[in-house]
Each structure stands twice: as structure tokens, then as C-alpha cells.
Amino acid sequence: MIKYFTDIWTSITTILGGMGITFIHLIRARQDNVTLQYPEERWPRPERNIGFDHDNYNVIRTRLHVDMDDCIGCLKCERACPVDCIKIVTEKAPERGSDIKEIKHVGVTTNGTRKAMVVTRFDIDMSECCYCNLCTYPCPEECIFMTGGPNSSRHPLDYEFSEPDRDNLIYKFAKSGTKEGLDKYIGEKSAES
Amino acid sequence: MSSGLDNKIIELVLSALDGNMDSINALEDRVVRSKAKAALFKAKKDPGKFRAENTGDRSGADEVKETVTSDDSQKLIANFVLKGLDGDMDSINAIEDRVTRSKVKAALVKAKKSPDEYKKIHSPKAVSDVASSSSEVKKIVHEESINLKIKNLSVAKFPGSVLNENVDDFLMINPSIWYDFAIWLKTDSNLLFDSLQCQTGFDIDGKILEARYNLHSMSKKHYTEVRIQVPIENPKIPSVESVWRIADWFERETYDMFGIEFSNHRDLRRILLPEDWEGWPLRKNYEVQETYHGIVIPKMKEGWE
Amino acid sequence: MGIIRGEEMVLNIGPQHPATHGVLRLQVRTDGEIVSSITPYIGYLHRCFEKHCESVTYEQVIPFTDRCDYLASMTMNFGYVVAMEEMLEIKVNDRVQHIRVVMAELQRIASHLLGLGAFGLDIGAFTPFLHMLRDRERILDLFEMTCGARLLYNYMWIGGLSHDLPVGFVESTYKFLDYFEPKIDEFVNLLVHNKIFVERTADIGVMPQDVAISYGVTGPNLRASGLKWDLRRDDPYSIYNKFEFEVPVGEGGKGSVGDCWDRFYVRVLEMKESIKIVRQALASMPKDGDVHQSLPKKIKPPIGSIYKRTESPRGDLGYYIESDGSNIPYRLKMRSPAFTALSVIDEIAAGWLLSDVLAILGSLDIVLGEIDR
Amino acid sequence: MTVDFLFDSLVSLFPSWENTDPFLVISMLIPLVATFGFITVYALVVIYAELKVSSFIQDKVGPMGQGVGLHAGKWGLLQPIADALKLLSKEDIIPSSANKLLFILAPFMIFVGAFISFIALPFNGSIIVSDLNIGIFYILGVGSLAVIALILAGWSSNNKWSLYGGMRSAAQIISYEIPAGLSLIVVIMLAGSLNMQEIIIYQQGGISNWIIFDNPFMPIAFVVYFISALAETNRTPFDLPESESELVAGFVTEYSGMRYAFFFLSEYANMFVVSVVAVTGFLGGWQSPFSGSLDSPLMGVFWMLSKTAFLIFIMIWIRWTVPRLRVDQLMHLCWKVFLPIGLFNIFAVAIWTVLFG
């Protein structure tokens, strides 16, 4: 019998206690609010300061981007990818380290490496990418990276990249017509000599 | 044993099957009552099976007897081997039972490799030593590794069960005695492996399938690994699902992935893959099906290669 | 008075059901509201983790471990790298170890937060769930700050970490812990002692200790059954032996030992212990030390196998790795704690009402990604 | 504003008309249309309140509009309208194996049950569709119509979850009628009438004359009635029939679009009905809490609506705080807690009235 009434008593007190807590939240809604009005307010970038100049230092995982002018075609990123979403095809450059204006090929990277390869195909299937960041570490030229992050002045934070067609999610970074242009260039060269 | 129910509930259910529902309804404890009722529902589907299973459970003494007799025959063999080692081959040849005779001879060949050790283990005197001075044994056992301890202990009960010489990392067990060995591992007061941590299969170069059991004792805090090899053509291993209940799902998974058949498993179905999946995916020679239910499985995505 | 027996009905809870925490199908036989047997059907989320691992290199396995238990990716990474480091005999420096412990414990809090919140949701309390998610977001912010990802981190590497801690991480973590500790008490007052919640969980789905051990149930579920078994204490890996913490066990505070309420409350207490560990680890963390110092150039473990267990938020997470000397695992088996936890459901939930089955399922805190792998 | 009043005024306006049947129809239609409009507007308001209160409790701000687009209007005021439009324009699906007739019938029946309860609700001294002399009894009676509709919905969907929901709700609503009725019997004993207006008039004279403060047992009766009312309207913690984490959506699992909207609407309408009954029976109805002041007819409407709104707010508040009960605990609460308390209350109030009344 005593248990009967203590049960009723604990029911009332605990439920009222819970209602008190929710009421505090109710009246403090303005201060406690944690949500954002999404299309107007974007999720802020986390404050990450690693303590040195970090123009290329990237931790934010949004979509992959490749600086083709710096890519030397070493295939390290392709090998690092656990889901095989990167596909690179390279051709031997006729002359190591020299620009080929016809196909907008830049011979020397910003790090000063002279390129021996011309990348004719650099496709990344973003629909398969698992955002593991593994491809960005082995890159000797730091030319493949995730956009956003500390260098977002160059590449703004973007996590909305929906596409109406799946094929649009295969990003083709190699400059269009590189293969044909290169063949033509080599043909002309051999014709000259 | 089989359904893991309390004896009390089993008794209640058995009495209820005979028509005595009052004993269940009179139960005070709500938990037990509902459990008993649930068990009754299950049991009523096939009362005969339930009775057989659970009354068999209580008469488990019979099984023990059987193992004792086999133990006796092993002792007999050991006796003969000892005689043989001393040069008395006649007594072995005089054994009438052909099976025993061949067993003795096989054991003798093995024993001749290291006759001293065999004598040490199997001479009646040594056995009694182990039994009498258990505290001393414990001290020794503490120094040696748990695998070695299991091996040494098992020789008396299951001679020839541990197949590998070097037991630093694991114990290779003879599949035919695995079920009894598992019960012994779980119940022996020196071992008490009450928890099966992990069970998995291996495909060794497409010829041998191996099941590995990682055992752990929650009370003794020691750990061992047991391996069992079977040929890939006829992969059959006794199920230990009734020893460690989790082996139920682990063995189903191993069956699912490797096709190792666990005999006496009550419900050996595929667990992760659909029932009608073809092949055993984690075998090294597995090839992906061409179609599944008429859907062609793409090897490479379109527009990629 | 006999039982009124109706016709037995087969009910499929799932694969699409709000309370199954993923895609799980429970085939339930019911008589009215009373459930007489439960048959779980799993595999709807099977992604061939183990088969995948046989075709990728050792370091490429890590992103796949993330995706197994997507609510506790850090501890998934942790278990794998600890196993691999033991195999390769790599010693990592103290700073890496401390950072790993901090991350793993923060992840444990985050995982328990979601587990507790979702359990509340199964019982019908919606508000605690969102409060839990709100606090979990702050932990995810800390992770995003560290490694850029919010859910699937690929943060711990064999022999190191992908990034060092950013400037200000330690302060932010302290700030979070100070903020979070009172929130646990608020949560306890809001839900844990609520009479309706107690009625729904106390004495429900009691898991006796021997059943739990026999079914290989580990982690908080086993501890709730009264066994003090925590790999961080009993088989310390990494540097857990440096820290002082309690291993909370179920004491049957509102009912009997090993009921749903105990499983729930053990997790609440574990969050407090995790906070303690994080504080100690942050305080004793060495300032210098390169997180990439001991990254091996080539990962080719010697021929052999290893079975290494670590304590994930859901229990003993074991990796069985067999190496044939190449840079690709010959076989990699993950022993997932939720797999064993789910297998016990028929044993402890049969005989209860339909609502209780879902409460028990919630209390086991399963993650289907890890069960199906 | 009763039907009789309308009819009389129409007759007196057109005294030359011999046949008064059209007047009767018109005088019945006008209040019905007005009631329907009121329910719709009220539902939109309560849906908005529910969204906002739940959001605030959960540290969110709920539907908001800001910036250029004003997505849901200022403070999200347009959100319920958008919800309503969405429900109305959704595809209407009838499962192929459902019992079509009953499936279509159920949402209308449940709405009719809630709708005809509005006939006896007093908004002030004169605004009442029909001042029935058995008003409170009538509301309890037609409130039970919902049970039939819920069983129909659950059974005709041909879905196991729906069936569970239907059976649970039937058991629940029928059971909780009893403690609710017992609590109201105490009120009727004090007021000596079943007429809603007379019960309100009995409480004339300020807050101290309200029935809830009449004697020490009345607060208990009020709480019992209020919780039973929660159960009757299938609100958390008694939302077992439609508990989303157990029964997916219970009896409304198979309903979509317009038909679902009817269930939704009638749930909120029922909330209003039970709140008005609680206000009438315990909180002085449309009477001002301050004796003699602020009691014009218009203020009567205000007092009625604000008191009702307060109770509805408490319902929402409870919903977002507590978990859900289990079905046997629900019955335990009804038959082993509320029923004894209700009976004891009748006894105690009777003695109290004899001794001190």
C-alpha cells in the first residue's frame, strides 16, 4: 500500500521535474538555440589554426580539386585511393619541363619540378569518393586537395554539389583536347625534324 | 542446455505440457512467469521435441559415462604403448580387437620419437602425481603458457587431439573430437573458457579451410586460440553452438562466407547474404556471379574504363 | 484461470521501421501483444568489408573501418591501428598516444549520447534525443576542427595520426567538458529518473551474467549485467593503464541487475568516466612530438596473425589480421560487438510485450553498419 | 447564438412565410459552417503552437522565415498553411487489399465524432450552437464515436501495425472514459446539472468559486480528468495507438493526404473539446477569474479561449517532456489508480458536501 502511494508520488514529482527542465528550455529558447537557418546562414568553418602559414594545408573534407598546372602525373593519388575513384592517363612529354602552349601544358610546377608527363586524363568520380583524404597526402606537388578550409579564399567552402545527372559528378580535370592536341603536336614536331 | 532456459522454467513448461497450467500462473515473479509462458508457446509447437531436448538435458550423465569409457580405452592404449616401449611387443600383437591394436601401434610409433616424455606423461605414477599435488602443478602451470598447459592437460583426456608441436600461438585441434574438447575447455576448473570471443574461417591457398576460435576466460582472465583444419572438399566441423551460444551466429557467418559445414548446428543458414546466394564469398577462388535474380551485375561502371 | 490464447501472428519489424536503428528485420511471433519468439534477419547493410580488405593495402583499410561503426569511427580506427602496430612492432610516441585516447574517449561520449538519445526515442521521449544530438554536435565540431571530417574521420594512421591537434583544441575541449558535465545531470533528471521511463525499463529484458558471457555480449551491456570487464582496465592497450577511472557496473538501481535501465545508466556513468579520462589525458599530454614520426614507409607485416581486442563504445572490438607478408591483408576479420549483442535478443526479449522488445533492442545500442559489415 | 435563437429571429424577420423548414435548415447550417471554419483556423494555430513549443523545448527555433525568401513567413507563421496545403495536395492512396468502403469511411467518422461535440461547447453566455440540457453527458457520449472510427481505420487498412493501433486505441479510449466520467460526476454532483451553461453559472463570482477550488478533493478530480483526457485524445504519454517508434504510425499507417489530414484535424479538435470540458467543469468556463470585472460577453469568449489554450499548451508541454507508457501500464494506471481515486473522490465529495456544503 505504501508502495502504491510512493509510486504515485514519484510519478508526480519526476514528471513535474522533467517538465520544469523543459520549461526552462522553453523560456530560454533564444539563448539556447543551436540551429541555423540554413540557406541564409551557412555552417561556419571550424576555427582551425595550426600555427603556421597554411595556404595549402587542408583539413576540410568537401570535394576534391586538382590543380592541373601542378600535376606531374605520378599516379600516387590513384594508387592511394581505396575505392578506385581516380583515373589518370598520362603520356610522355616530348620535352621534359617545357611548356606546350597549344594544349596549355605548363612545364614546371610551382614547386619547381619539371614535368616529364602530360596528363591527358584525370577523372575523379565524386559519387564514389569516400572523402578519406588519403589521396591528398602522397601528392608530392600538393596539387590534389579538398576544397574549402584555410585556403578557401581560392576555393570557397562548398558542400552543396548536387547534380541532376550522375555523370556530372565525374569531374574531368584534364584540359579538354589534351590527347588530340598532344598527338598533333608530336606529329608536327616529328614532321619538322 | 539447448535453449538455455533455466531448469525451473523447463520444469514448469514440462508440467504445463502435461496440462498443469496452474503452477505457471501461480508464479509470483512476473519476469519468470512471462518467460515460462513464452517458452511454453515455443514448446507447444513441437512438444515432443521440447521434451526430448530437455529431458535429455537432465540425463546428461549418460554422456559423461561414455567419455569415461573412451577415457578408459585410451588408458588401455597408453598401457600397451608403455609395454611396447619396454620391448614387450607380444602383448600388443596379442590384442584381439583390430582397431585397438592398430591404434596402439600408431601411438607407439609416435611415442618412440620421444619415449621419455611419453613415459612421463602416461605412466600411472605420473598421473597420480598430478592429481595428488595439485598446488604444485598450479605453480608450474603458472610459469608455462596457457596453450602449453592446455596441451598437457588434454593429453590425458584427449590424446592426440592437439596436432601441432609448437603451441606458442595456437592449438591445432583434431576436428573429430572438437565438440567434447570444447566442452572440456569450458568446464574444466583449470581452464574455464567461458567466452568465445571470435570465430572465423580461413581459406589456406584454396586447399584447406580453417576455423579459428579465439577463446577467453572471464574468470581466469586467460586467452587462447584454437584452430581446426579441414579439407576444402569436405569441410565439416562439429558445431559448438550449444557450448558457447554466440557460436550460433559466428558459425552461421563462417558457413555463409566459407561454406564450412558445422554439423549438429540447429539452424545453419546464411546470415549476412541472401538465402539464394551462390558460392562462398571469402574463399580465395570465389568469383562474382554474372547475374542475380536476372539483374546483370556490372563489372565496371559505365563511361569509366 | 488459464491464459487466453489467440492466433499467433507473424510480424515483421523492419527492414524499414523507425526503431530498428538501421536496416534490421526482426521476425516476431506474437500472440496479441506478447512476443513469443524473435528471429533477427541481418545483412541488409552488408558491404563486404572483409572481402574488400583482401584487395586493398593495409593503410587503405582504415577508411573502411570508419564505415563499419559510423557512430564511433575513431574507436574503430583505434582498434585497427593498435592491432597493426602490435603486428609491425611500431612504438608510437607519447603525444600520439594521448591524442588517440582523447579522441577515442570523446568518440565514446558521442556514441553513447546518440545511443542514449535513440533509446529515449524508442521509449517515446523525443526531446532528450535532440538534446543529446545537440551536445554530440559539439564533439563533432571538435573532430572537424582536428581532421576536417565530422563522421568518418580516417584520423588514426598506422604509426601516427593524420593531423596534429590544431591550436586551441585543448582549450575548446576543456570548454566543452565544462559545458557538458552539467548537461549529463540535466539529462538524468529529465529522463533517467522519470517514473514513466523507469517503468518502461526497470526489470525489463534482464540479461543474466552467464547468458551475457555465453552470448559473447561485451561492453556496457555486459557491465550492466554486473561483470566488471573493461579492456581498458583488464587488458590495457595504448596508454590506458596511465589513467585512473572507474568501471561502472550495473547495480540494479531501479530493478534487477542487467535490466534495460541498468544498461542505460551504465552508459550515462561511462560518459562521466570518459570525461575524467579526457581531462587526465589533456593534462598530461606532452607538448612536443611529431605525429608523423613513426609512420612506416612500407607496411609489410611479417607472416603471421594477430587477434587484438580494444574497447569500443559497444564492447570488445576485435580485429583478426592474417598477413602473408605482402602489403595486402590475407584475411581480416572484425569481431563486432554489436553483432554479439544482437544475437542475444531472442533470449532476453522473448516473452515480453511488443513495446518491450523495442525497448530492449534500443538498450542493446546496436549499429547495423557494424553488425552487417 | 443558438439554433433556436437563429430560427426565431428568421421567423420574426419573415413573418409572412408559412413554411418554416428552410429557416430551420439555414439556422442549422450557419453555426455548422462557422464551427467548421473555427476548427480549421484553430487547428492551424495549434499546429503552429505545437511546432514552436516543441522547437523551443528542444533548443531549436522551429519554422522561421528570414532574409529575402521569407520561407515560412515572419516567424514561420505560414508553416501550418504550407503543411495543410501539402496534405491536401498529396496523392490519395488506398491500399489494394484494404476494405475500401470502411477505409474511406473511417476518417469521416472520426471527424464527425469530434465535430458534433462542438455543438454543446459554450463560448460565452450566449454563443453556443445548442444549449443542451444534458450537454456534458452528450459530449462524453459522442466522444466515444471515435473508438468505432479508429477500429475501422485499423482494421480496414489490412495492415498489422494498423490493427495493433486500432485495438490499442479502442481499449484505451473505452477504459479512460470511465475515470473521466467519474471525475465529471463529481462536478455534476456539485453543480446539480448536466447543462454546460448551468455548470458555468454555478461557478459565478471569481476564482475562488471555481469548482476546482470548491473543496480539497476537486484538484485531484481535475488532474484525473485531465490525464484521462490526454489518454482519450491519444496524446503522449498515451499515444500508444500511433506510437511512431513501435507501431510506425498505428492506425494511420496507410493513410495519406486528405484522409490523414482528417485524423490529424480530429485529434486537435478532440484536444479542444476535452479542454473546454475541463474548463467548463473545473475552471469556471467563460467566467472571469476576477469577480464582477472583465465579464462582458466578448471577454467571456476571451476567458474561455485563453483558459482552453492554457490547457492545450500544457498538453503540448507534457507531450515533449515524457516518454510513452506501455500498454499494460496504461491499463494499470486506468483501472488500478484512476478508478479507485475517482470512486473515492465521489464518496469524499459527497460527504464533504453533506458536512460543509
Side-chain angles (χ1 to χ4, degrees):
Chain A
M1 199 62 188
I2 294 165
K3 190 177 175 298
Y4 182 81
F5 286 108
T6 47
D7 275 358
I8 293 175
W9 175 246
T10 48
S11 310
I12 294 168
T13 49
T14 54
I15 290 172
L16 285 182
M19 285 173 73
I21 290 170
T22 45
F23 190 72
I24 291 167
H25 279 280
L26 182 70
I27 53 173
R28 285 172 52 88
R30 282 280 160 196
Q31 295 100 296
D32 286 353
N33 170 36
V34 290
T35 52
L36 293 172
Q37 299 302 305
Y38 168 58
E40 282 83 26
E41 301 169 19
R42 298 299 179 87
W43 193 257
R45 271 196 299 279
E47 299 155 13
R48 185 187 163 98
N49 178 6
I50 51 170
F52 57 86
D53 180 35
H54 46 256
D55 197 34
N56 279 320
Y57 198 93
N58 212 306
V59 295
I60 305 301
R61 310 231 185 129
T62 59
R63 71 178 121 175
L64 277 170
H65 188 83
V66 184
D67 234 343
M68 280 314 290
D69 289 349
D70 281 0
C71 180
I72 57 170
C74 63
L75 305 186
K76 277 186 179 164
C77 49
E78 188 183 1
R79 259 177 263 132
C81 182
V83 292
D84 296 339
C85 77
I86 303 177
K87 188 78 201 164
I88 303 172
V89 178
T90 55
E91 302 250 331
K92 204 167 183 314
E95 208 173 320
R96 190 186 166 107
S98 65
D99 293 2
I100 307 169
K101 293 243 167 46
E102 286 83 347
I103 54 169
K104 293 179 190 152
H105 174 71
V106 182
V108 182
T109 66
T110 43
N111 281 9
T113 316
R114 290 157 66 231
K115 288 192 205 171
M117 295 287 185
V118 179
V119 180
T120 55
R121 178 182 177 192
F122 200 124
D123 291 358
I124 298 178
D125 189 347
M126 284 313 284
S127 63
E128 284 200 1
C129 177
C130 71
Y131 303 90
C132 63
N133 234 357
L134 279 179
C135 54
T136 62
Y137 297 104
C139 184
E141 301 295 322
E142 292 174 351
C143 74
I144 183 165
F145 51 83
M146 297 271 181
T147 56
N151 56 4
S152 61
S153 52
R154 282 201 296 175
H155 310 281
L157 181 68
D158 51 354
Y159 37 73
E160 312 142 313
F161 42 104
S162 58
E163 295 281 357
D165 189 351
R166 282 177 82 100
D167 287 346
N168 294 352
L169 281 170
I170 298 178
Y171 291 179
K172 295 183 166 61
F173 290 102
K175 286 153 189 161
S176 57
T178 311
K179 176 93 178 86
E180 294 76 32
L182 189 67
D183 288 346
K184 211 175 133 201
Y185 177 78
I186 293 171
E188 281 170 12
K189 271 260 181 168
S190 54
E192 273 174 34
S193 62
Chain B
M1 185 197 292
S2 53
S3 49
L5 295 168
D6 290 352
N7 284 335
K8 191 182 167 195
I9 292 177
I10 289 171
E11 255 173 50
L12 284 169
V13 172
L14 284 172
S15 73
L17 282 175
D18 298 329
N20 180 15
M21 274 307 292
D22 295 345
S23 56
I24 288 186
N25 287 328
L27 277 173
E28 286 277 353
D29 189 359
R30 221 164 41 129
V31 181
V32 179
R33 192 168 66 223
S34 59
K35 273 205 169 176
K37 283 184 182 175
L40 185 60
F41 280 137
K42 274 189 196 169
K44 276 199 178 163
K45 270 182 245 157
D46 195 349
K49 192 178 155 207
F50 185 85
R51 279 204 183 97
E53 269 177 18
N54 290 295
T55 46
D57 187 13
R58 278 185 237 157
S59 59
D62 294 354
E63 283 175 34
V64 176
K65 227 180 232 169
E66 258 179 49
T67 52
V68 167
T69 51
S70 70
D71 214 337
D72 278 349
S73 77
Q74 277 150 13
K75 262 186 193 159
L76 197 75
I77 291 170
N79 242 337
F80 279 117
V81 173
L82 286 172
K83 277 182 188 170
L85 285 175
D86 296 334
D88 183 7
M89 280 302 287
D90 293 346
S91 61
I92 294 177
N93 289 332
I95 300 171
E96 284 195 9
D97 185 7
R98 229 167 43 148
V99 181
T100 321
R101 195 165 65 221
S102 58
K103 270 189 185 172
V104 170
K105 280 187 178 172
L108 187 60
V109 172
K110 269 191 197 166
K112 274 191 176 167
K113 282 179 200 157
S114 54
D116 290 337
E117 203 179 304
Y118 191 84
K119 273 184 193 167
K120 211 165 104 191
I121 296 165
H122 283 275
S123 63
K125 205 181 149 205
V127 172
S128 68
D129 268 352
V130 170
S132 62
S133 57
S134 59
S135 62
E136 197 185 335
V137 170
K138 210 169 185 180
K139 219 167 86 190
I140 299 162
V141 163
H142 215 78
E143 284 155 16
E144 68 189 10
S145 81
I146 179 72
N147 286 349
L148 210 59
K149 178 178 162 188
I150 295 170
K151 191 182 178 183
N152 294 342
L153 284 173
S154 73
V155 170
K157 221 162 179 232
F158 305 99
S161 57
V162 180
L163 301 175
N164 55 338
E165 285 292 319
N166 176 11
V167 289
D168 287 350
D169 296 330
F170 57 89
L171 298 159
M172 188 73 80
I173 304 284
N174 185 354
S176 58
I177 51 96
W178 168 229
Y179 179 73
D180 295 327
F181 198 85
I183 292 179
W184 175 70
L185 280 178
K186 193 186 177 188
T187 51
D188 190 284
S189 58
N190 288 319
L191 304 172
L192 286 177
F193 284 104
D194 49 7
S195 167
L196 176 63
Q197 292 270 317
C198 180
Q199 195 276 329
T200 185
F202 270 79
D203 179 0
I204 297 175
D205 302 327
K207 295 186 194 94
I208 295 169
L209 289 180
E210 192 173 88
R212 298 187 181 176
Y213 298 76
N214 298 82
L215 298 168
H216 177 85
S217 168
M218 288 288 177
S219 44
K220 301 252 173 191
K221 301 265 160 70
H222 54 218
Y223 164 85
T224 189
E225 181 176 329
V226 170
R227 297 185 182 179
I228 297 168
Q229 287 192 339
V230 281
I232 201 163
E233 297 82 32
N234 184 24
K236 274 209 170 109
I237 296 177
S239 166
V240 290
E241 163 241 17
S242 51
V243 184
W244 299 285
R245 288 294 290 121
I246 184 56
D248 181 359
W249 277 30
F250 275 149
E251 285 176 4
R252 274 175 71 187
E253 197 192 330
T254 310
Y255 166 76
D256 195 356
M257 294 298 166
F258 289 92
I260 299 176
E261 276 180 45
F262 292 92
S263 40
N264 292 331
H265 191 291
R266 271 174 295 165
D267 187 21
L268 197 63
R269 290 176 288 129
R270 284 189 183 271
I271 187 166
L272 291 175
L273 300 176
E275 286 283 314
D276 54 354
W277 195 261
E278 294 161 23
W280 312 107
L282 280 180
R283 285 192 186 178
K284 291 289 174 189
N285 60 357
Y286 174 74
E287 274 175 26
V288 184
Q289 301 164 6
E290 296 280 309
T291 57
Y292 180 68
H293 285 290
I295 307 161
V296 179
I297 296 166
K299 293 268 185 218
M300 186 61 69
K301 61 188 163 184
E302 287 166 42
W304 190 240
E305 202 53 47
Chain C
M1 207 183 98
I3 337 168
I4 306 163
R5 279 203 61 198
E7 202 181 326
E8 205 169 67
M9 186 156 91
V10 178
L11 193 64
N12 277 310
I13 303 181
Q16 287 87 31
H17 187 278
T20 50
H21 298 219
V23 261
L24 163 70
R25 179 170 141 230
L26 295 177
Q27 199 182 60
V28 171
R29 293 185 167 275
T30 58
D31 177 21
E33 293 265 348
I34 300 168
V35 172
S36 54
S37 82
I38 302 160
T39 319
Y41 287 85
I42 59 175
Y44 291 92
L45 218 56
H46 182 55
R47 290 149 300 170
C48 330
F49 166 70
E50 286 163 18
K51 188 78 182 167
H52 263 300
C53 292
E54 291 174 16
S55 61
V56 295
T57 59
Y58 282 102
E59 58 267 48
Q60 286 176 351
V61 169
I62 300 173
F64 290 115
T65 65
D66 275 341
R67 281 151 180 81
C68 283
D69 185 349
Y70 37 79
L71 299 178
S73 303
M74 283 287 184
T75 47
M76 285 288 170
N77 289 178
F78 200 6
Y80 178 71
V81 297
V82 165
M84 281 311 294
E85 277 159 17
E86 197 169 312
M87 209 168 184
L88 292 159
E89 291 171 358
I90 298 174
K91 286 264 175 291
V92 293
N93 61 32
D94 243 20
R95 183 170 169 83
V96 174
Q97 298 277 31
H98 277 86
I99 295 175
R100 281 181 182 174
V101 168
V102 169
M103 290 298 163
E105 294 308 312
L106 284 176
Q107 182 72 77
R108 193 182 310 278
I109 297 173
S111 169
H112 281 343
L113 280 177
L114 196 76
L116 298 175
F119 183 30
L121 196 60
D122 287 347
I123 302 285
F126 199 86
T127 301
F129 174 64
L130 287 174
H131 285 179
M132 299 282 100
L133 276 189
R134 173 199 67 196
D135 298 338
R136 178 171 171 267
E137 283 297 304
R138 298 184 68 134
I139 300 179
L140 298 192
D141 280 352
L142 291 175
F143 289 153
E144 186 181 13
M145 188 174 165
T146 314
C147 65
R150 294 180 70 80
L151 198 63
L152 307 164
Y153 312 107
N154 183 21
Y155 178 62
M156 294 178 193
W157 285 359
I158 299 161
L161 302 164
S162 71
H163 300 87
D164 201 349
L165 289 182
V167 174
F169 176 87
V170 177
E171 292 76 27
S172 309
T173 311
Y174 275 130
K175 220 167 96 187
F176 164 74
L177 296 178
D178 293 340
Y179 155 86
F180 181 59
E181 266 167 324
K183 293 285 173 193
I184 296 182
D185 298 335
E186 186 193 284
F187 172 67
V188 168
N189 286 333
L190 177 56
L191 186 62
V192 180
H193 292 308
N194 187 303
K195 182 69 181 168
I196 297 178
F197 182 79
V198 172
E199 282 290 316
R200 283 297 305 277
T201 52
D203 276 332
I204 306 291
V206 180
M207 179 152 48
Q209 210 182 91
D210 53 334
V211 169
I213 293 174
S214 179
Y215 273 91
V217 175
T218 46
N221 295 333
L222 178 61
R223 290 194 279 277
S225 297
L227 186 68
K228 240 188 174 126
W229 169 252
D230 189 326
L231 286 169
R232 292 174 292 171
R233 188 194 61 141
D234 292 310
D235 184 11
Y237 53 96
S238 190
I239 48 163
Y240 273 111
N241 47 6
K242 274 189 177 180
F243 304 119
E244 278 180 23
F245 60 98
E246 293 289 312
V247 179
V249 290
E251 283 157 356
K254 301 278 177 188
S256 40
V257 175
D259 56 8
C260 285
W261 193 86
D262 265 356
R263 285 198 279 282
F264 188 87
Y265 198 58
V266 160
R267 290 195 172 87
V268 175
L269 294 177
E270 264 183 34
M271 291 203 294
K272 292 187 175 175
E273 297 305 321
S274 288
I275 291 174
K276 265 194 217 165
I277 299 177
V278 172
R279 280 189 190 280
Q280 290 174 44
L282 287 176
S284 62
M285 188 188 291
K287 287 269 177 292
D288 49 348
D290 183 6
V291 293
H292 293 157
Q293 189 185 340
S294 30
L295 288 183
K297 276 257 180 291
K298 272 245 178 316
I299 299 178
K300 282 193 178 175
I303 297 170
S305 63
I306 188 170
Y307 178 66
K308 184 74 187 167
R309 300 167 296 173
T310 52
E311 183 81 19
S312 97
R314 266 157 267 285
D316 291 10
L317 167 73
Y319 281 99
Y320 197 114
I321 305 167
E322 169 91 14
S323 159
D324 59 351
S326 70
N327 63 343
I328 290 172
Y330 184 77
R331 168 101 173 89
L332 197 154
K333 155 93 183 169
M334 176 195 276
R335 183 258 192 220
S336 64
F339 184 81
T340 56
L342 181 63
S343 72
V344 80
I345 188 145
D346 183 41
E347 180 78 26
I348 60 171
W352 294 100
L353 299 183
L354 188 62
S355 319
D356 293 330
V357 170
L358 297 167
I360 292 166
L361 183 68
S363 74
L364 292 174
D365 189 18
I366 52 168
V367 168
L368 265 296
E370 185 194 25
I371 290 173
D372 296 342
R373 282 156 297 175
Chain D
M1 201 65 92
T2 59
V3 176
D4 295 342
F5 174 75
L6 277 170
F7 180 65
D8 289 346
S9 23
L10 278 172
V11 170
S12 56
L13 265 172
F14 305 101
S16 54
W17 285 35
E18 291 284 313
N19 185 3
T20 54
D21 286 354
F23 294 160
L24 191 63
V25 172
I26 291 168
S27 56
M28 269 151 68
L29 270 181
I30 291 172
L32 290 185
V33 169
T35 310
F36 189 79
F38 174 77
I39 292 176
T40 319
V41 173
Y42 149 81
L44 294 181
V45 171
V46 175
I47 289 169
Y48 179 75
E50 179 114 45
L51 286 171
K52 277 296 184 187
V53 169
S54 66
S55 299
F56 288 164
I57 284 176
Q58 294 157 358
D59 288 352
K60 309 184 288 182
V61 285
M64 280 299 258
Q66 51 169 262
V68 192
L70 280 176
H71 303 280
K74 187 79 178 161
W75 305 314
L77 280 170
L78 296 177
Q79 185 66 43
I81 296 169
D83 280 353
L85 283 177
K86 183 206 72 176
L87 280 176
L88 295 183
S89 56
K90 246 180 158 175
E91 187 190 354
D92 177 37
I93 299 167
I94 299 178
S96 54
S97 54
N99 187 327
K100 212 168 168 183
L101 176 70
L102 300 182
F103 189 82
I104 294 169
L105 198 63
F108 292 109
M109 272 191 75
I110 193 165
F111 185 67
V112 165
F115 184 65
I116 56 179
S117 306
F118 272 74
I119 288 171
L121 301 185
F123 288 89
N124 71 7
S126 52
I127 301 180
I128 180 166
V129 178
S130 178
D131 191 6
L132 300 172
N133 57 351
I134 51 159
I136 212 158
F137 181 65
Y138 167 81
I139 289 172
L140 280 178
V142 296
S144 311
L145 265 181
V147 180
I148 301 167
L150 294 183
I151 289 189
L152 281 189
W155 186 79
S156 66
S157 299
N158 199 4
N159 177 325
K160 286 166 186 169
W161 302 116
S162 303
L163 188 62
Y164 268 114
M167 297 313 286
R168 278 184 180 185
S169 70
Q172 175 180 335
I173 293 177
I174 290 175
S175 305
Y176 276 87
E177 293 270 302
I178 295 161
L182 287 178
S183 308
L184 287 178
I185 281 176
V186 184
V187 174
I188 294 161
M189 275 164 59
L190 288 173
S193 169
L194 286 170
N195 186 309
M196 301 283 269
Q197 298 287 29
E198 281 176 26
I199 293 172
I200 294 171
I201 288 162
Y202 171 81
Q203 306 175 56
Q204 208 162 23
I207 194 165
S208 56
N209 278 8
W210 291 1
I211 286 182
I212 191 170
F213 301 119
D214 192 280
N215 61 53
F217 303 104
M218 290 321 284
I220 302 174
F222 173 70
V223 169
V224 170
Y225 175 76
F226 188 70
I227 295 175
S228 305
L230 273 180
E232 273 187 71
T233 50
N234 295 339
R235 300 278 298 178
T236 314
F238 307 102
D239 63 341
L240 299 133
E242 43 189 309
S243 49
E244 79 280 354
S245 61
E246 289 163 24
L247 300 186
V248 190
F251 55 88
V252 288
T253 306
E254 297 289 351
Y255 283 92
S256 67
M258 186 70 185
R259 291 178 218 287
Y260 176 72
F262 268 112
F263 281 103
F264 210 59
L265 198 63
S266 50
E267 182 190 323
Y268 285 107
N270 267 329
M271 274 166 73
F272 187 80
V273 173
V274 295
S275 300
V276 168
V277 173
V279 169
T280 306
F282 297 93
L283 302 177
W286 38 261
Q287 306 261 16
S288 156
F290 316 108
S291 176
S293 62
L294 298 170
D295 54 356
S296 65
L298 206 60
M299 284 311 285
V301 176
F302 168 76
W303 287 122
M304 191 76 204
L305 290 183
S306 54
K307 285 170 186 171
T308 311
F310 177 69
L311 289 187
I312 289 173
F313 165 72
I314 290 181
M315 284 183 176
I316 296 172
W317 181 13
I318 289 178
R319 173 171 180 182
W320 296 105
T321 303
V322 294
R324 181 185 308 124
L325 280 167
R326 204 173 59 197
V327 66
D328 62 328
Q329 290 161 351
L330 180 91
M331 292 299 158
H332 177 271
L333 185 67
C334 174
W335 295 103
K336 293 193 182 163
V337 180
F338 285 170
L339 198 64
I341 290 179
L343 289 171
F344 168 77
N345 250 353
I346 295 176
F347 184 66
V349 171
I351 291 185
W352 182 276
T353 321
V354 169
L355 292 181
F356 306 101

